[in-house]
């Protein structure tokens, strides 16, 4: 069975500092995708970044980068130069080559950026 | 470009009633998925539809049903509502259905069952 684990229920970070949000996963699928989504208080899930299991390089999107360590089954999100608007819930998610191709989400990490 | 849209944004129902939630995918996207997110948890997969056919179903009772229309929009129906059905219902669309497809989410429908 597939599983996503986010061990940090909440984090407080000073504005402009970098922050790392942890995510580990478990799957028996040889091919899978890993995602990070941001959910502000409005509720909408905002796609941030995607990493394919066969991608050789870590994904980057602006201030977001994904530290993908396949052997350790970890996919940590790094946010550089944090901003007040980064305060939100962050979800790590995975999709595997199952019949239904559903996305499995972790329980999330609530990030608070302090001015 | 319009993103995924959902209606209504908020809904209050009483136990035993039924509810219909609607979703319009991003233009050109053929796959729609539904998720339930209860307070304090990550979203849980309910259904995925692709080209008007059900591709997957999560661990939800038969009170939950869905369909996809020829224009790729979708409806989620929940019958005999229970208090525990109170949640944020999220719709996501992707161009196709597959393990490399990014799903883009709508703003959700907040359902409160009294």
């Amino acid at each position: 069975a597939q599983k996503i684990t986010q061990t940090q229920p909440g984090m407080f970070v000073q504005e402009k500092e970098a922050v790392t949000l942890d995510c580990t996963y478990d799957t028996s699928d040889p091919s899978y995708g890993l995602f990070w989504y941001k959910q502000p208080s409005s509720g909408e899930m905002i796609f941030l970044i995607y990493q394919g299991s066969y991608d050789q390089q870590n994904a980057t999107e602006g201030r977001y980068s994904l530290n993908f360590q396949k052997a350790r089954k970890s996919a940590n999100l790094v946010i550089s130069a944090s901003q007040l608007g980064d305060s939100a819930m962050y979800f790590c998610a995975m999709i595997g080559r199952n019949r239904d191709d559903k996305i499995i989400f972790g329980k999330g990490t609530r990030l608070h950026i302090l001015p | 470009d319009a993103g995924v849209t959902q209606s209504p944004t908020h809904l209050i129902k009483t136990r035993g009633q039924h509810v219909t939630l609607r979703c319009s995918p991003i233009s050109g996207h053929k796959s729609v998925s539904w998720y339930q997110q209860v307070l304090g948890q990550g979203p849980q997969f309910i259904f995925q539809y692709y080209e008007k056919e059900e591709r997957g179903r999560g661990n939800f009772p038969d009170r939950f049903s869905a369909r996809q229309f020829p224009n790729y929009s979708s409806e989620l129906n929940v019958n005999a509502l229970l208090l525990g059905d109170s949640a944020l219902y999220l719709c996501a669309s992707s161009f196709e259905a597959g393990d490399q497809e990014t799903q883009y989410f709508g703003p959700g429908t907040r359902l409160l069952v009294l």
Side-chain angles (χ1 to χ4, degrees):
Chain A
Q2 296 180 322
K3 186 178 180 180
I4 293 283
T5 302
Q6 294 180 254
T7 58
Q8 306 153 308
M11 288 186 69
F12 290 83
V13 173
Q14 208 68 38
E15 188 181 9
K16 299 182 183 178
E17 291 185 349
V19 57
T20 298
L21 305 181
D22 295 341
C23 172
T24 58
Y25 61 91
D26 191 18
T27 181
S28 57
D29 290 336
S31 176
Y32 50 90
L34 296 158
F35 302 84
W36 278 91
Y37 286 89
K38 172 184 178 181
Q39 188 176 42
S41 56
S42 61
E44 184 172 0
M45 298 286 282
I46 302 169
F47 166 73
L48 295 179
I49 196 166
Y50 167 82
Q51 178 85 43
S53 58
Y54 290 115
D55 292 343
Q56 296 296 316
Q57 293 190 334
N58 288 342
T60 60
E61 289 286 348
R63 295 187 298 112
Y64 305 107
S65 61
L66 199 152
N67 184 2
F68 181 47
Q69 299 188 40
K70 194 171 183 178
R72 294 186 177 184
K73 293 188 174 180
S74 76
N76 298 340
L77 176 71
V78 180
I79 305 174
S80 63
S82 58
Q83 303 170 357
L84 295 178
D86 294 334
S87 295
M89 281 291 288
Y90 288 81
F91 290 96
C92 179
M94 175 173 63
I95 187 168
R97 191 173 289 173
N98 295 322
R99 191 183 73 84
D100 52 28
D101 293 322
K102 64 186 178 185
I103 291 184
I104 304 295
F105 286 85
K107 292 188 175 182
T109 295
R110 181 166 294 281
L111 177 63
H112 302 268
I113 305 298
L114 304 173
Chain B
D1 287 344
V4 178
T5 59
Q6 292 185 245
S7 62
T9 56
H10 296 79
L11 204 52
I12 299 175
K13 292 285 188 178
T14 56
R15 282 178 297 174
Q17 287 187 312
H18 78 272
V19 66
T20 298
L21 310 181
R22 296 177 175 83
C23 171
S24 292
I26 292 171
S27 178
H29 284 193
K30 303 175 186 176
S31 177
V32 170
S33 298
W34 286 95
Y35 294 82
Q36 180 196 64
Q37 186 180 19
V38 298
L39 198 62
Q41 299 292 322
Q44 297 291 313
F45 172 77
I46 310 176
F47 288 108
Q48 185 185 48
Y49 277 77
Y50 176 66
E51 288 282 16
K52 301 178 288 295
E53 293 189 359
E54 181 183 303
R55 272 183 60 93
R57 172 188 286 256
N59 294 324
F60 281 81
D62 292 342
R63 299 185 295 108
F64 289 76
S65 63
R67 56 179 175 169
Q68 187 177 31
F69 299 99
N71 66 353
Y72 302 110
S73 66
S74 177
E75 282 183 354
L76 175 70
N77 294 283
V78 186
N79 293 324
L81 285 166
L82 303 174
L83 296 180
D85 295 331
S86 295
L88 177 67
Y89 288 85
L90 294 163
C91 172
S93 78
S94 57
F95 179 67
E96 292 185 344
D99 59 4
Q100 305 296 313
E101 290 290 328
T102 296
Q103 295 187 11
Y104 295 90
F105 285 79
T109 294
R110 293 189 185 273
L111 172 65
L112 177 61
V113 182
L114 301 176

